[in-house]
Amino acid sequence: MDAKRPTVADVARRAGTSTAVVSYVLNDGPRQVSDVLRARVSQAMAELNYRPDRRAQALRKQRRWRQIGLLVPDLTMPLFGEFVGTIERAARARDHLTIVANTGYDPVREAEFVSAFVEAGIDGLIVVGASNATETAAMCAQARIPVVWMHNVRGDVDAPIVGVDHVQAGEIATRHLVEMHGCRNIAFVGGFTEADVNHGDRETVEQRYRGAIAVDETEIMHIHTDLTADGAYDATRKFLDMCTAPPAGIIVGTYGQTSATTRAVIDHGLRIPEDVKIVAFDGSQAKYGQFDMTSAQQPVESITQHALERLLTAKAVSPETTGAHSAPWEPSLHVGNTCGC
């Protein structure tokens, strides 16, 4: 059994003084303590290995900085990094400290982080790409912590999801290939079933796929993958090996699989965009490599600013807005050099 943690009272007894004097030493006031008495208290703390309870001190102190939690599924993805950076800057400007946790699309880790955030006393929570939104919402409701959802969720929540219209994003990416480049056979890379994907943003991929197949005058072939780069490379190479002729265009369902898909096409001996035209999603910072990817992109600044505003105002928790679904943002198409424009 662990030894009992020493208390302020233990320090006071060892130093031969009162708990009030120990408190004055710890908090540097509000009353003066002589150098001799301060030295005795400091020596007693050292002998007892006394450590002050910083959490209790924080609760007693008036805080300048309020705290918000931010759950992100994958910090290695540039889109989520943009979300984090924008939220952190805007929150800091309003005296809010942002505590970030990386869930890895794991519902168990998500629940652990929410529990830890509750214990840390956060004032609100933003969840990007929730992997178990139902449980997370219940935990926040029990702790009376306001929560705002961004990008997409797995699970049911009766609350707005602040993000882009991913179905529309899939549609505008496909329409560009069909209407601007006359592509009639297009392959879509990405998985969204439980058989395809365990941990990953399968909800977003499924919505983008729905947008793609809604476009008339084209055949969409589906290249099933998990949502890793290796999965995209292997599945694309196998698909191309089996084709008598390559598709006119390829749509890559996630930014994280774009480079691997492009490499698979090149390794198969095909030219981009002469033989195969490629359109993807997101990646606003990825235009200085070998390819400037044509991609449907999100208004990151608008989405993150709105999410933070919802969290920091009464709208985030007022009953009359709980079930109100705000309209999703419209994506825009960045035209690069992978589609042949």
Side-chain angles (χ1 to χ4, degrees):
M1 182 181 291
D2 293 338
K4 180 185 172 185
R5 180 172 179 168
T7 65
V8 169
D10 296 328
V11 174
R13 278 193 294 271
R14 176 67 66 96
T17 187
S18 66
T19 55
V21 169
V22 176
S23 178
Y24 299 154
V25 172
L26 287 170
N27 298 304
D28 199 23
R31 293 191 178 179
Q32 292 278 348
V33 177
S34 70
D35 292 342
V36 173
L37 192 50
R38 183 181 294 274
R40 277 171 34 204
V41 170
S42 297
Q43 183 178 349
M45 286 192 290
E47 291 172 354
L48 293 171
N49 194 25
Y50 171 79
R51 288 171 295 141
D53 188 338
R54 298 300 180 191
R55 188 184 303 172
Q57 286 181 329
L59 290 172
R60 290 193 297 268
K61 259 175 137 177
Q62 185 176 6
R63 291 186 294 166
R64 175 200 165 188
W65 293 93
R66 298 178 72 80
Q67 300 176 17
I68 62 171
L70 176 57
L71 292 179
V72 186
D74 188 350
L75 281 169
T76 66
M77 292 291 102
L79 172 66
F80 299 135
E82 287 185 68
F83 282 156
V84 170
T86 309
I87 289 171
E88 189 279 328
R89 288 192 298 273
R92 177 161 42 88
R94 300 177 66 164
D95 289 342
H96 279 70
L97 178 69
T98 306
I99 308 173
V100 183
N102 189 59
T103 67
Y105 286 107
D106 186 335
V108 175
R109 284 172 64 181
E110 184 173 305
E112 289 174 348
F113 283 131
V114 174
S115 178
F117 282 166
V118 170
E119 289 183 17
I122 62 169
D123 300 288
L125 177 66
I126 296 177
V127 186
V128 181
S131 57
N132 189 353
T134 307
E135 183 177 352
T136 295
M139 294 172 69
C140 289
Q142 184 176 16
R144 301 191 62 80
I145 292 174
V147 58
V148 168
W149 312 92
M150 278 182 61
H151 185 66
N152 239 321
V153 301
R154 183 170 304 158
D156 297 322
V157 292
D158 187 19
I161 300 169
V162 182
V164 78
D165 186 333
H166 296 289
V167 175
Q168 185 182 8
E171 183 176 344
I172 68 169
T174 308
R175 283 199 182 281
H176 184 74
L177 289 174
V178 173
E179 296 175 359
M180 296 299 297
H181 299 287
C183 298
R184 294 292 178 263
N185 60 323
I186 297 172
F188 184 98
V189 178
F192 48 79
T193 67
E194 290 189 15
D196 293 329
V197 182
N198 185 13
H199 295 162
D201 194 7
R202 61 176 185 251
E203 287 75 20
T204 298
V205 177
E206 189 271 335
Q207 290 164 18
R208 291 168 174 173
Y209 179 77
R210 278 197 282 121
I213 63 175
V215 177
D216 295 330
E217 301 180 9
T218 185
E219 176 191 0
I220 302 292
M221 297 165 282
H222 189 186
I223 302 177
H224 290 265
T225 75
D226 63 13
L227 296 182
T228 65
D230 287 343
Y233 181 86
D234 293 340
T236 303
R237 285 301 305 269
K238 288 176 184 176
F239 172 82
L240 293 173
D241 287 341
M242 292 189 302
C243 289
T244 54
I250 291 178
I251 299 171
V252 189
T254 65
Y255 175 79
Q257 294 186 300
T258 302
S259 294
T261 302
T262 302
R263 176 65 181 271
V265 171
I266 293 172
D267 286 354
H268 192 72
L270 298 170
R271 299 168 300 164
I272 302 170
E274 293 85 357
D275 300 321
V276 178
K277 305 179 189 308
I278 298 181
V279 177
F281 300 91
D282 305 319
S284 60
Q285 306 301 316
K287 57 186 179 181
Y288 297 108
Q290 178 182 3
F291 293 107
D292 176 7
M293 186 65 59
T294 297
S295 56
Q297 297 187 354
Q298 309 186 35
V300 171
E301 187 80 21
S302 297
I303 290 170
T304 52
Q305 290 283 0
H306 183 73
L308 185 62
E309 188 65 28
R310 286 192 64 86
L311 189 70
L312 301 185
T313 63
K315 291 181 182 180
V317 289
S318 58
E320 62 270 20
T321 62
T322 300
H325 288 259
S326 51
W329 267 258
E330 291 188 5
S332 61
L333 186 71
H334 167 74
V335 177
N337 61 13
T338 59
C339 62
C341 280

